Amino acid sequence: MPHRFPALIADPPRGEGRWWLTGGRLFDGAGGPVGDGAAVLVEDGVIRRVGRASEPCPGGARLLDLERRTLMPGLIEAHTHILSDTPRLLRGAEPFLPGTPAHFLQAELRQFLRMGVTTVRFTGAQGQWPQEARQAMRYGAFAGPRVLTCGKIISATAPGGRFYGTMYREADGPDDMRRAAREQIRAGADFVKIMTTGARSNEMEDPEPLQLTGEELSAVADEAHRMGYRLSAHAEGLAGCEAAVTVGADTIEHGIFLHRRPDLLDAMAASGQVLVPTLSGHYWMAGLGDAVDPATAQRVPEMPAELVDLAGQNLENGAASMRAARDAGVKIALGEYVGTVEEGKLADLLIVDGDPVAEPGLLADSARIWLVLRLGVPVAGQALERDIGETVNQPVIQ
């Protein structure tokens, strides 16, 4: 039900009218090959039909010739902890006021949209920053991607609570865990997140053992599912992965060593549980930045040596787990209402210059992001910056 998801409640109005996006190459995100000569009919912010460029423009639709550019789903950031880093101040400079960091978060969200990311899933953030930014977008303060959030991450009392500011809601015992889940729903969460293990991004936690009791985990899972919400489980060590899979967590975040447990992957595939791999975070922690080939990249670490070494191991194991999950038929960070170019999906679309399958790096080049549509409305991209009016024909009435 849409009313259970604040992210959908906050969506801006859908674009009115019909668009015929034609003459492009289609990457549908549903597993099919990239194909030439595609056309897509968008009507009132929803994909109504996927057709061929050889077809005539439907009556009353505006025709947009893609000129062999690639049409693909809007990108989804499925796991992020945007912390809205503010610039380092010089000694003696005026300190930041309490509300200033929120403006930096808004700037990051605007940039996400500019690069074709139409949905961002916050799996933990400071305070209520995602909810505040989403509310501002709902009422027209600025344009950005759709924002989903878990609110605060529910965790047993653990060292991680010392490292991550206001990101955690620590709880102990089944009743307190249940209350913590209810608090996140009250605060506008779209899903509930639980720490089954510690995190590898601080030097005090051990991510191997299960961090909470079975009764505590079951209480959170029961409360989330009873209220119609999904449960996200931070699970790095195998004990946490096994507990999360067994209790029916809807998404397994990280799952670094799942390749060592084919039985868990088979169980996930059978139940429809989703793996959300997080390799980019390990690149950063290993000091590799945006490197493509870790073997030849120069490392510039920003963390203690032990964590840098651990991140390198996580890269290797995380990649192996992602491949093993794919081979086992496990879903990997798929969407519901968005994420594919198919009939009935919301028209969050991205049009780029080039083939992102053959050249994935183009997605990081703003000059090759030609047009971004959010609910059928052109919101960003080179075409808008150059004047989309030069490329859009008048409505064709048949």
Side-chain angles (χ1 to χ4, degrees):
M1 295 287 291
H3 74 273
R4 294 175 185 251
F5 296 98
L8 296 180
I9 293 174
D11 264 347
R14 298 181 182 182
E16 297 181 353
R18 312 177 89 196
W19 288 82
W20 182 243
L21 311 176
T22 187
R25 307 175 76 245
L26 178 63
F27 174 80
D28 63 13
V34 178
D36 289 317
V40 172
L41 176 63
V42 173
E43 183 176 27
D44 296 335
V46 175
I47 298 169
R48 294 301 181 195
R49 187 162 62 85
V50 178
R52 304 296 301 167
S54 57
E55 300 176 38
C57 180
R62 301 184 71 185
L63 185 149
L64 178 60
D65 186 355
L66 305 186
E67 298 177 346
R68 300 200 77 250
R69 296 180 175 92
T70 301
L71 172 67
M72 60 186 293
L75 301 177
I76 299 173
E77 169 56 88
H79 183 115
T80 190
H81 302 280
I82 300 176
L83 300 179
S84 185
D85 291 334
T86 52
R88 177 176 294 180
L89 297 177
L90 299 175
R91 289 190 177 184
E94 178 192 13
F96 285 120
L97 298 173
T100 301
H103 294 280
F104 287 90
L105 174 60
Q106 291 179 11
E108 288 193 58
L109 290 172
R110 291 190 187 98
Q111 182 62 11
F112 265 85
L113 188 65
R114 175 63 185 80
M115 297 304 296
V117 178
T118 54
T119 298
V120 171
R121 179 174 176 262
F122 280 88
T123 48
Q126 300 300 312
Q128 290 190 311
W129 287 359
Q131 295 97 311
E132 292 165 356
R134 181 168 65 195
Q135 191 174 68
M137 288 188 285
R138 178 182 184 181
Y139 294 106
F142 70 100
R146 179 180 299 103
V147 167
L148 291 84
T149 179
C150 67
K152 293 187 177 183
I153 304 171
I154 301 171
S155 169
T157 299
R162 296 169 53 197
F163 285 81
Y164 304 121
T166 59
M167 191 180 292
Y168 282 14
R169 190 322 194 162
E170 293 182 311
D172 296 290
D175 289 344
D176 198 19
M177 287 280 175
R178 192 177 294 274
R179 179 177 179 83
R182 291 175 176 175
E183 288 175 357
Q184 306 325 304
I185 294 171
R186 180 181 185 273
D190 300 279
F191 60 100
V192 174
K193 182 179 177 185
I194 182 73
M195 295 289 292
T196 68
T197 72
R200 290 172 178 261
S201 54
N202 73 77
E203 60 187 355
M204 293 293 292
E205 287 194 322
D206 181 354
E208 294 301 329
L210 184 63
Q211 189 169 256
L212 66 174
T213 68
E215 292 79 8
E216 289 173 328
L217 179 55
S218 294
V220 174
D222 176 71
E223 193 62 30
H225 290 152
R226 186 177 62 82
M227 294 299 293
Y229 289 78
R230 292 183 175 180
L231 178 63
S232 161
H234 170 106
E236 297 193 19
L238 284 173
C241 290
E242 181 175 15
V245 171
T246 301
V247 81
D250 300 281
T251 62
I252 309 299
E253 316 286 325
H254 310 295
I256 297 171
F257 301 106
L258 279 169
H259 62 293
R260 299 178 182 175
R261 289 287 303 272
D263 59 316
L264 293 181
L265 291 173
D266 289 342
M268 290 175 65
S271 64
Q273 290 166 298
V274 178
L275 173 65
V276 183
T278 54
L279 298 184
S280 63
H282 303 316
Y283 271 85
W284 169 76
M285 286 185 277
L288 293 168
D290 297 326
V292 175
D293 183 1
T296 60
Q298 181 178 0
R299 295 176 183 258
V300 184
E302 301 178 24
M303 302 187 80
E306 179 182 357
L307 294 181
V308 172
D309 178 67
L310 194 58
Q313 298 177 40
N314 291 343
L315 270 177
E316 180 179 347
N317 286 288
S321 290
M322 185 168 65
R323 296 186 183 102
R326 176 200 60 196
D327 294 342
V330 175
K331 293 180 180 178
I332 300 179
L334 299 178
E336 291 188 283
Y337 298 98
V338 293
T340 59
V341 182
E342 296 178 292
E343 181 179 334
K345 293 295 183 74
L346 298 180
D348 286 4
L349 299 169
L350 171 60
I351 302 165
V352 299
D353 283 308
D355 181 355
V357 175
E359 191 183 356
L362 71 84
L363 295 174
D365 184 353
S366 61
R368 300 177 75 175
I369 305 297
W370 189 70
L371 186 63
V372 182
L373 289 92
R374 174 94 154 78
L375 295 170
V377 178
V379 290
Q382 290 291 328
L384 285 184
E385 294 163 15
R386 291 199 302 260
D387 184 8
I388 194 173
E390 297 177 0
T391 59
V392 179
N393 296 329
Q394 293 300 314
V396 178
I397 308 296
Q398 297 184 352

